[in-house]
Amino acid sequence: LASCRGYTYDALIDLSHLGITRVAADAFAGLVNVTWIDLSYNALSGGLPPSVFVGTPHLATIALSHSALPALPAAIFAATPQLQDVYLDGNALSALPAGVFDATPA
């Protein structure tokens, strides 16, 4: 997935079940109205870049279930102050990095 730049109208972006193998670091940059991103059931075995959710200030839900994720960068949710729900089930995660949810609401 190279970019969703210019797509600013919907609150939900459903990219599930598309066989996505890579997501660019700025794929969601500038999507200020988005509250939910669904990347579940993809093939993200290479992981996600730490800045992938930068530029999505209202993002509240991220679905990453069953996407073959081996790990998460420690700062992946640093730019998501409204984040409330993260779905990670069905991945190969053995542990989450310390502080990964520090920037999210308590």
Side-chain angles (χ1 to χ4, degrees), residues 30-106:
L31 299 182
V32 296
N33 297 323
V34 172
T35 60
W36 182 305
I37 293 176
D38 188 348
L39 281 165
S40 60
Y41 293 92
N42 281 296
L44 301 171
S45 59
L48 291 169
S51 62
V52 70
F53 299 117
V54 169
T56 57
H58 300 292
L59 190 60
T61 303
I62 300 170
L64 297 168
S65 303
H66 302 280
S67 288
L69 286 170
L72 287 177
I76 193 162
F77 304 126
T80 56
Q82 302 299 316
L83 189 63
Q84 296 179 19
D85 300 303
V86 178
Y87 298 96
L88 295 169
D89 55 300
N91 284 296
L93 300 170
S94 59
L96 293 175
V100 70
F101 295 109
D102 283 355
T104 62

Side-chain angles (χ1 to χ4, degrees), residues 4 7 10-16 28 31 34 36-39:
C4 290
Y7 186 85
D10 291 340
L12 166 66
I13 294 182
D14 185 355
L15 299 170
S16 64
F28 305 113
L31 299 182
V34 172
W36 182 305
I37 293 176
D38 188 348
L39 281 165

